[in-house]
Amino acid sequence: MSVNAIEKTKFQAEVLESPKPVVVDFWAPWCGYCRRLAPAVDRLEAEMNGKVTVSKADIDELPEVAQQYEIDTIPTLILFKDGKEADRVVNPPSQDAIEEWLKANQVI
């Protein structure tokens, strides 16, 4: 399974208006660490049993969104709840670390 890429025109609907929490992985294809972390991010949504949506935002394709959320380092994962940024994690070391972050934010 591959996590859906967010399109600029759909960010509002898919992330900010989502009825459930959304994790957005801000990444870029040229980012080696992003590519290494991608399989863990891809597995994450499948393992969340519908509790959270996971999407990817390519900072090269969505520079305005990346700038709006002040993405300085990638990968950066931002958790959105009720249309607002709830928390973020920069350079998570593993899928386990991402899951612990989601537990700390009472998503899972």
Side-chain angles (χ1 to χ4, degrees):
M1 173 182 179
S2 181
V3 174
N4 290 334
I6 298 175
E7 296 176 27
K8 181 180 178 181
T9 57
K10 296 181 179 177
F11 190 85
Q12 179 77 27
E14 293 181 10
V15 176
L16 303 180
E17 296 173 3
S18 175
K20 61 183 173 180
V22 179
V23 172
V24 178
D25 175 15
F26 287 89
W27 74 291
W30 46 262
C31 168
Y33 187 72
C34 298
R35 289 194 315 270
R36 283 193 302 274
L37 190 64
V41 173
D42 289 347
R43 284 190 304 268
L44 191 62
E45 184 169 35
E47 295 174 5
M48 293 297 106
N49 300 318
K51 293 179 184 175
V52 65
T53 299
V54 180
S55 296
K56 292 186 178 207
D58 181 338
I59 64 166
D60 292 334
E61 304 230 351
L62 299 171
E64 300 89 1
V65 175
Q67 184 177 12
Q68 177 182 354
Y69 290 99
E70 299 176 350
I71 304 300
D72 295 326
T73 303
I74 54 174
T76 293
L77 279 63
I78 297 182
L79 172 63
F80 290 87
K81 288 183 181 177
D82 300 319
K84 295 180 177 65
E85 180 179 338
D87 198 13
R88 67 174 59 198
V89 62
V90 178
N91 292 329
S94 65
Q95 182 174 346
D96 288 341
I98 297 168
E99 290 175 7
E100 288 301 317
W101 171 66
L102 292 172
K103 286 177 188 173
N105 281 284
Q106 302 174 347
V107 174
I108 57 173

